[in-house]
Amino acid sequence: MSTAAAFVAPTIDWAYLVPVIVVLGAGVLGVLVEAFVPDRHRRAVQVVLALGALVGALATIVLLWDDVQELNGIQVLGGSLVIDPFGLALQGIVVVLALLATLVIADRTSTGQDAFAPTAAAVPGSAYEDLARRRGLEQTEVFPLVLFAVGGMMIFPATGDLLTMFVALEVLSLPLYVLTALARRRRLLSQEASFKYFLLGAFASAIFIFGVALVYGFAGSVRLAEVRAALLNGGGLDGMTGLVLLGLVMVLAGLLFKIGAAPFHSWTPDVYQGAPTPITGFMAACTKAAAFGALVRVLYLIGSALPQDLQEKLVVALWVVAILTMVVGSVIGVIQTDMKRLLAYSSIAHAGFLLVALVGFGELSGFGVRAVVFYLLAYGLATVGAFAVVTLVRERSPQPQAAVESPVLAAVGAGGTAGSAAGGAGDLPAPDGGAILGEATHLTEWAGLGKRSPWLAGAFALFLLSMAGIPLTAGFIAKFTAFGAAVAVGAWPLALIGVLASAVSVFFYVRIIVLMFFTPSPSSVAGGVEQESPENAGGGPAATSAVAALATRVTVVRSEGFTTVAIVICVTGVVLLGVLPSSVLDLALEAAKFRP
């Protein structure tokens, strides 16, 4: 009679799990808050809980840094998580960016309203939704959902096996699908974006887990260290190395979907446009940081162990994806007229620039990883700050309490339905008359913003210049290190393409700055003659009149305080990383260490 092997419980070093436990534990407490705390106190408790959890997680990450550096990483939960300098650094970046994004999410601005629908399950434009809006109902479930997503993002780059990586992928994705559908206005557009994100995300997850199965079929394990060892030892299975390459490509396809790289980018513009703007900034910064962390770990631990011929094929595929991503993001971004879609294509282009730094994954020099770590922080600060500014530039209806949809928005395809994009009972009057509506996202609406709100426009211009890679901003150092890492491994043609794509993207960044500071508002009328909008030159008097009417429906709302703090921190970070980057680059180089 055979005896079963005794189960050996893994030794758990709880101290190294504290950052993740704090965030996920606060998310669970947030659910209990929804159930037991009275309505009038619920929002305040949720905001304090969410911000306190993120600050606490960041503090524990800082405290763990020296210990993790000394040990060069430690395996936790039997190797399911690897808390090494790289994983801890990515966790720190995710938490910092999530903290700033949560400030924007928590802000209700001077309108007294946040960015989220009072009743997410209500039919857009229905009487029930209108009643909920007039009664001032709030969706405070947003905060635990954000914390659950952040917890998944913190696990994602620190995983030691592919199965745990898949679980982390779902933990971070599922809350984002829900958050995308919660926009207060343009409800149908928001729900459509959520459905697209969910459907395409489900396909990407299926591809990812199928790739995990193929890798397991080769190595007999899903542990990254064991898969790497099997590859270095030949795997013991002649002719089966092609199986692990196919599996690895499928795993990478799932990760490339999350970072928005072409040809897996089709969800990005629609989701960025339809989601509540604070959530868009959160997704754009934090999801990209977490997904790139996981991508780096897979490439450097499994990809670098492939036989030379298969590794060369993988490098070629990475070149193709990087070039296609940069071209799609830069070229299609030029023709965008919606601010959120433009920033979405900017995000796609930046994903391509980040991929340029990773083509030398077989060298294991660490310079590519250093470039990625620094780039994610620099890009994240500029992105959260840019979307924070967008939340403050609003449309207004001509009359207070008017439930009228903007006909010009309908013409330019901004989305929404009567009663969902428009004002209504509960919309507060704008300072210059009318009722404050949703964000003014059409580019023409930003004309003359530099005169009406110079500090806000100046901050936005700084974020755009950083994204463009202009010297003395964080973006310049980020792109310089990324392209330099490619040149160091002989991929100078790819770096050259990156420079050219970056030069193309400068056009639409500078175009917005010109609109804000050097273009008069199209609503200006001199001697009874309407000025022609630069967006509609040659469009005739009707087009000019429509755009002029659109520009008159714009106002800048005051922040309740949270968004202002986030913008100030982002501006400070972008400037300091551009002027004094050496200390952060040194930390990023220290983070370029892996524990297989």
Side-chain angles (χ1 to χ4, degrees):
M1 181 176 180
S2 61
T3 58
F7 172 74
V8 179
T11 300
I12 302 177
D13 293 298
W14 292 103
Y16 299 96
L17 294 176
V18 169
V20 177
I21 291 174
V22 167
V23 173
L24 292 180
V28 174
L29 289 177
V31 174
L32 297 178
V33 167
E34 290 298 314
F36 297 108
V37 175
D39 290 349
R40 62 183 180 277
H41 302 306
R42 194 175 296 161
R43 180 181 181 274
V45 174
Q46 291 284 25
V47 171
V48 171
L49 180 62
L51 294 177
L54 293 172
V55 171
L58 181 60
T60 56
I61 289 171
V62 172
L63 293 175
L64 288 173
W65 178 258
D66 290 337
D67 191 25
V68 171
Q69 282 284 104
E70 183 179 349
L71 296 174
N72 194 24
I74 184 170
Q75 293 186 358
V76 186
L77 296 173
S80 295
L81 288 180
V82 180
I83 308 300
D84 54 12
F86 176 75
L88 201 62
L90 264 293
Q91 286 183 347
I93 291 174
V94 167
V95 170
V96 168
L97 299 178
L99 180 59
L100 295 173
T102 303
L103 289 173
V104 183
I105 291 170
D107 200 341
R108 290 187 295 193
T109 71
S110 58
T111 64
Q113 297 175 339
D114 57 23
F116 304 99
T119 52
V123 176
S126 65
Y128 178 66
E129 183 186 54
D130 185 59
L131 176 63
R133 185 190 304 116
R134 284 190 283 113
R135 296 188 65 176
L137 298 184
E138 292 182 324
Q139 285 279 14
T140 52
E141 297 93 336
V142 169
F143 296 100
L145 287 172
V146 168
L147 290 175
F148 285 133
V150 173
M153 293 172 188
M154 294 174 68
I155 298 172
F156 206 33
T159 52
D161 66 65
L162 294 172
L163 202 56
T164 304
M165 188 176 291
F166 174 74
V167 173
L169 174 64
E170 296 306 300
V171 170
L172 76 90
S173 297
L174 293 176
L176 292 178
Y177 300 151
V178 178
L179 290 168
T180 301
L182 297 183
R184 176 176 287 272
R185 296 178 176 81
R186 301 188 177 106
R187 298 282 292 118
L188 288 179
L189 188 66
S190 178
Q191 292 180 352
E192 178 189 356
S194 177
F195 182 74
K196 288 180 179 178
Y197 194 17
F198 169 74
L199 190 62
L200 294 177
F203 278 110
S205 296
I207 293 172
F208 182 95
I209 199 63
F210 196 92
V212 172
L214 293 179
V215 172
Y216 178 81
F218 166 78
S221 174
V222 292
R223 291 284 170 82
L224 295 176
E226 295 180 9
V227 174
R228 178 180 175 83
L231 285 168
L232 294 175
N233 296 330
L237 298 172
D238 295 336
M240 295 292 286
T241 51
L243 184 67
V244 73
L245 178 63
L246 178 59
L248 180 59
V249 168
M250 297 182 76
V251 168
L252 294 178
L255 297 176
L256 290 172
F257 171 85
K258 296 306 295 183
I259 67 174
F264 313 101
H265 69 286
S266 59
W267 63 274
T268 308
D270 292 335
V271 173
Y272 279 33
Q273 183 183 21
T277 302
I279 298 301
T280 304
F282 171 65
M283 285 193 300
C286 298
T287 305
K288 194 177 294 294
F292 259 104
L295 179 67
V296 167
R297 192 172 291 278
V298 171
L299 276 177
Y300 275 73
L301 293 182
I302 297 181
S304 63
L306 288 171
Q308 189 63 33
D309 57 333
L310 297 182
Q311 194 174 133
E312 291 174 356
K313 294 179 181 179
L314 184 60
V315 170
V316 171
L318 201 60
W319 272 58
V320 172
V321 171
I323 293 173
L324 186 60
T325 304
M326 290 186 292
V327 171
V328 167
S330 300
V331 174
I332 301 183
V334 170
I335 62 174
Q336 299 303 309
T337 58
D338 183 271
M339 184 66 73
K340 292 173 73 173
R341 291 185 72 89
L342 186 149
L343 292 175
Y345 280 103
S346 168
S347 172
I348 294 170
H350 283 287
F353 301 145
L354 277 159
L355 289 173
V356 170
L358 296 181
V359 294
F361 63 87
E363 301 292 330
L364 297 178
S365 63
F367 291 106
V369 179
R370 179 188 69 168
V372 168
V373 172
F374 186 89
Y375 203 124
L376 290 173
L377 179 59
Y379 167 77
L381 291 174
T383 299
V384 172
F387 281 106
V389 172
V390 173
T391 64
L392 300 179
V393 182
R394 301 289 189 89
E395 292 178 333
R396 61 177 177 83
S397 65
Q399 304 90 16
Q401 312 298 332
V404 181
E405 182 187 11
S406 167
V408 185
L409 281 180
V412 300
T417 58
S420 62
D427 287 321
L428 297 185
D432 47 357
I436 296 175
L437 307 180
E439 291 88 355
T441 58
H442 195 270
L443 294 188
T444 309
E445 297 176 291
W446 290 66
L449 182 66
K451 294 182 179 178
R452 284 176 286 169
S453 185
W455 291 107
L456 191 68
F460 194 66
L462 177 65
F463 299 139
L464 294 177
L465 292 174
S466 181
M467 293 180 188
I470 302 302
L472 299 182
T473 64
F476 172 76
I477 304 298
K479 289 186 178 181
F480 182 83
T481 55
F483 298 152
V487 172
V489 296
W492 63 266
L494 185 61
L496 179 60
I497 295 173
V499 172
L500 295 176
S502 184
V504 172
S505 66
V506 168
F507 169 78
F508 54 78
Y509 296 129
V510 174
R511 173 192 184 191
I512 298 172
I513 296 174
V514 170
L515 272 173
M516 291 191 298
F517 291 99
F518 304 107
T519 303
S521 173
S523 61
S524 301
V525 178
V529 180
E530 292 171 343
Q531 295 181 2
E532 187 176 13
S533 166
E535 291 292 316
N536 292 275
T544 303
S545 178
V547 175
L550 182 65
T552 62
R553 303 167 64 93
V554 179
T555 188
V556 176
V557 297
R558 295 187 307 277
S559 167
E560 188 181 42
F562 292 127
T563 299
T564 300
V565 172
I567 292 174
V568 170
I569 294 175
C570 290
V571 166
T572 304
V574 166
V575 172
L576 289 180
L577 290 180
V579 178
L580 302 170
S582 57
S583 58
V584 179
L585 285 172
D586 291 340
L587 288 174
L589 187 59
E590 290 296 318
K593 297 178 181 178
F594 295 93
R595 180 188 173 99

